[in-house]
Amino acid sequence: MDQQQQAHVLLFPFPALGHIKPLLSLAELLCHAGLHVTFLNTDHNHRCLTHLQRLSTHFSTLRFESIPDGLPIDHPRNVQLIGDLMFSVKSVTKPKFRDLLADLSTKSERPVTCVIADGIMSFAIDIAKELGIQAMTFWAFSPCCLWSFLCLPELIEEGQLPVRGEADDMDRMVKGVSGMESLLRRQDLPNICRRQLDDPIFQFYVEEIKAITQTSVLILNSFDHLEALTLSYITPFFSRIYTIGPLTALLTSRITHDVLQSLSSFNNLWEADRSCMTWLDSQPLRSVVYVSFGSTGIMTRGQLFEFWHGLVNSGMPFLWVVRRDGIGHIAGVEGEHAIPEELHEGTKERGFLVDWAPQEEVLAHQAVGGFLTHSGWNSTLEGIVAGVPMLCWPTIADQQINSRWVSEVWRIGLDMKDTCDRSTIEMMIRAMMKERREEIIMSMDRIAKLAYDSANQGGSSYHNLDKLIKDIIKKI
């Protein structure tokens, strides 16, 4: 058996869909290259994503395993209770992971030779090293977010944190993040910076970021030309960095179209309502605003109605993903929250609402002209690959800093953070779709081409993936 066939990589994402999706793409790419892969989920996500296990019919070298996350079965595991999941995984899942990895490394017919763990799962890296297994960190957020996190000690020392949330405080420029002095405002820092310094979740990130620099090997879902300056600041912290993004574009360049088509249902982590594609077929070219705030975002009913009014009042056709677990579902809105007639009529005339959509297909559809997004890193990259201008409404994690980069660094969209009123939403949608569209499209066309070039043969991400695979094999 040659080294390529002996290579066995275990991928372990943090148990949230935004972290699972990119690592699943990496799993497919590694399997396509002939490596054996074990994809490790928590029991809860393993049950919720049962359709993923059928990927093994396409990739014979892919298998799925699961371990407990330590939370009760009926725990909502949403972003409002993210701390419960973080601390439970760290305390309960850690020993379970040790046992599983030890078994897969000693009793398995094909021992694990490499562990690639999520950037906020440092215990998995530590355990892999203890067992003498090659270990790498996969960072699911943006590189600009990572750099701001790496600067947390300086931000604390400079008295920049916590961000208090007062109007005069939010617009102040941030000192302590090299290369971003004239760009980064306090409101653009990742949302954990709005927590008190002794807050357990803030401390969780401080500890994880300190640990990540001990990993030495880092994998980023980004590409060199997108964040060259940021990467230059991150590089000294690691012995090796592999920029292999956008992963969705790499899948397109590496795997044949027919196979990708058959994989599309698996790459949608939730079941998508495909009726929206038929609706899009009936809409004019580049006329539709696609609206999705990701897999974990939560909005209040008040925010729901502000967005709804803004969308209807903009006069643009819109396709809106409204998750049942993201708010009180629209169908259940009653009494004082009853849907006004103008929203009923406006939506009937030019709107379409779904629980979940096949996002990459939607963004690639010729009818879609703009993307109203939460600025999660996966969505940001998917918007770039599709070349669709973005209007950003960030709430958690790296979304605040991503939206700043979208609007002010790459100039491929507009930033609407910390604002949720119908008149602003209407105005910003019209700006994205009409008044400022030409200037945004010029920048987006350039960035989208760079993404395409990086992921295709001869490009930096294509080359870096080859190098990553060779280095995984070489360590056996």
Side-chain angles (χ1 to χ4, degrees):
M1 187 184 296
D2 63 27
Q3 283 187 310
Q4 184 163 311
Q5 291 175 316
Q6 289 178 329
H8 180 184
V9 184
L10 183 142
L11 301 180
F12 191 15
F14 181 77
L17 292 182
H19 294 248
I20 293 170
K21 185 173 184 179
L23 272 174
L24 190 64
S25 295
L26 179 56
E28 293 174 37
L29 288 164
L30 295 178
C31 288
H32 182 69
L35 279 63
H36 287 261
V37 173
T38 293
F39 198 89
L40 181 60
N41 272 318
T42 58
D43 292 340
H44 172 80
N45 287 330
H46 191 68
R47 287 190 299 269
C48 293
L49 305 171
T50 53
H51 68 289
L52 293 185
Q53 296 165 51
R54 298 201 301 276
L55 271 171
S56 300
T57 62
H58 294 272
F59 298 107
S60 61
T61 58
L62 176 63
R63 62 182 289 189
F64 289 86
E65 294 282 351
S66 69
I67 51 178
D69 63 14
L71 295 176
I73 290 176
D74 60 351
H75 191 287
R77 293 170 174 82
N78 60 31
V79 69
Q80 293 172 321
L81 299 173
I82 193 66
D84 293 353
L85 186 59
M86 287 176 168
F87 304 126
S88 181
V89 165
K90 202 165 188 177
S91 60
V92 177
T93 307
K94 180 177 179 178
K96 301 292 184 183
F97 175 75
R98 183 191 301 275
D99 293 342
L100 176 71
L101 186 58
D103 283 348
L104 290 175
S105 302
T106 57
K107 301 175 184 177
S108 173
E109 180 182 333
R110 183 174 280 102
V112 171
T113 59
C114 177
V115 170
I116 299 177
D118 198 288
I120 54 174
M121 304 274 275
S122 62
F123 69 81
I125 298 295
D126 294 339
I127 291 170
K129 287 181 176 179
E130 288 172 19
L131 296 175
I133 299 170
Q134 182 185 22
M136 301 180 177
T137 293
F138 180 90
W139 183 251
F141 299 137
S142 59
C144 57
C145 173
L146 175 57
W147 176 228
S148 67
F149 277 166
L150 289 169
C151 293
L152 283 177
E154 288 81 4
L155 291 172
I156 293 170
E157 186 177 338
E158 292 273 353
Q160 299 285 303
L161 302 181
V163 175
R164 296 191 302 272
E166 300 161 5
D168 60 341
D169 183 53
M170 299 296 270
D171 283 332
R172 284 171 51 198
M173 303 307 291
V174 172
K175 300 175 183 177
V177 183
S178 297
M180 301 183 182
E181 295 89 349
S182 62
L183 177 69
L184 200 60
R185 305 163 301 176
R186 291 165 70 80
Q187 64 184 302
D188 303 317
L189 288 168
N191 82 312
I192 64 154
C193 295
R194 303 185 186 197
R195 293 176 176 270
Q196 295 300 312
L197 300 186
D198 59 355
D199 180 276
I201 292 179
F202 181 84
Q203 286 301 315
F204 173 90
Y205 275 97
V206 169
E207 292 169 10
E208 290 299 309
I209 294 304
K210 185 177 181 181
I212 201 175
T213 59
Q214 307 304 313
T215 306
S216 77
V217 181
L218 180 69
I219 302 170
L220 294 169
N221 184 16
S222 188
F223 54 102
D224 292 345
H225 289 296
L226 187 66
E227 295 193 73
L229 179 61
T230 302
L231 291 170
S232 72
Y233 286 109
I234 293 173
T235 297
F237 288 85
F238 303 93
S239 61
R240 282 176 289 159
I241 293 180
Y242 303 90
T243 47
I244 59 168
L247 282 163
T248 54
L250 267 181
L251 281 171
T252 302
S253 70
R254 294 268 180 157
I255 299 178
T256 62
H257 177 74
D258 289 346
V259 174
L260 271 180
Q261 286 292 97
S262 65
L263 292 176
S264 62
S265 61
F266 301 111
N267 291 336
N268 279 299
L269 298 181
W270 285 339
E271 184 177 355
D273 183 345
R274 299 194 59 81
S275 64
C276 64
M277 302 305 295
T278 304
W279 180 82
L280 284 174
D281 289 340
S282 68
Q283 302 304 310
L285 182 70
R286 304 293 176 230
S287 65
V288 175
V289 179
Y290 170 59
V291 187
S292 177
F293 298 122
S295 58
T296 58
I298 302 290
M299 66 165 56
T300 65
R301 286 173 182 261
Q303 290 170 331
L304 165 76
F305 279 108
E306 291 302 311
F307 272 104
W308 206 343
H309 277 286
L311 285 162
V312 168
N313 294 344
S314 74
M316 307 301 301
F318 60 92
L319 167 60
W320 189 3
V321 174
V322 186
R323 298 185 349 263
R324 289 182 180 275
D325 64 336
I327 49 164
H329 196 252
I330 287 174
V333 176
E334 298 175 350
E336 64 178 299
H337 299 294
I339 302 170
E341 185 63 24
E342 64 267 26
L343 297 187
H344 262 307
E345 291 303 314
T347 304
K348 186 188 301 183
E349 180 182 339
R350 56 184 174 275
F352 199 88
L353 276 54
V354 293
D355 288 336
W356 195 247
Q359 180 160 293
E360 289 172 60
E361 288 184 65
V362 167
L363 289 170
H365 197 284
Q366 62 181 4
V368 174
F371 184 13
L372 175 47
T373 173
H374 63 309
S375 291
W377 190 232
N378 293 323
S379 290
T380 300
L381 288 176
E382 287 165 13
I384 287 173
V385 169
V388 177
M390 289 175 259
L391 173 56
C392 306
W393 189 66
T395 55
I396 60 170
D398 61 338
Q399 297 166 15
Q400 278 85 2
I401 194 166
N402 295 345
S403 66
R404 183 65 168 174
W405 258 237
V406 164
S407 66
E408 300 302 319
V409 177
W410 305 317
R411 299 189 180 279
I412 56 177
L414 305 172
D415 190 1
M416 196 172 64
K417 67 165 58 77
D418 298 325
T419 301
C420 187
D421 68 84
R422 63 191 67 181
S423 59
T424 300
I425 293 164
E426 175 189 349
M427 177 186 69
M428 296 290 271
I429 289 172
R430 286 180 173 169
M432 172 179 65
M433 299 297 287
K434 294 181 177 179
E435 289 92 346
R436 295 188 58 185
R437 183 169 186 79
E438 188 173 342
E439 64 179 274
I440 294 172
I441 283 291
M442 286 181 61
S443 296
M444 180 58 92
D445 286 349
R446 180 180 64 84
I447 296 292
K449 184 178 186 305
L450 290 173
Y452 177 87
D453 290 345
S454 73
N456 278 273
Q457 193 163 5
S460 59
S461 293
Y462 194 101
H463 168 76
N464 290 338
L465 178 62
D466 282 340
K467 190 171 187 303
L468 171 64
I469 292 168
K470 288 176 182 176
D471 287 349
I472 289 171
I473 294 169
K474 188 169 62 177
K475 289 290 184 177
I476 297 175

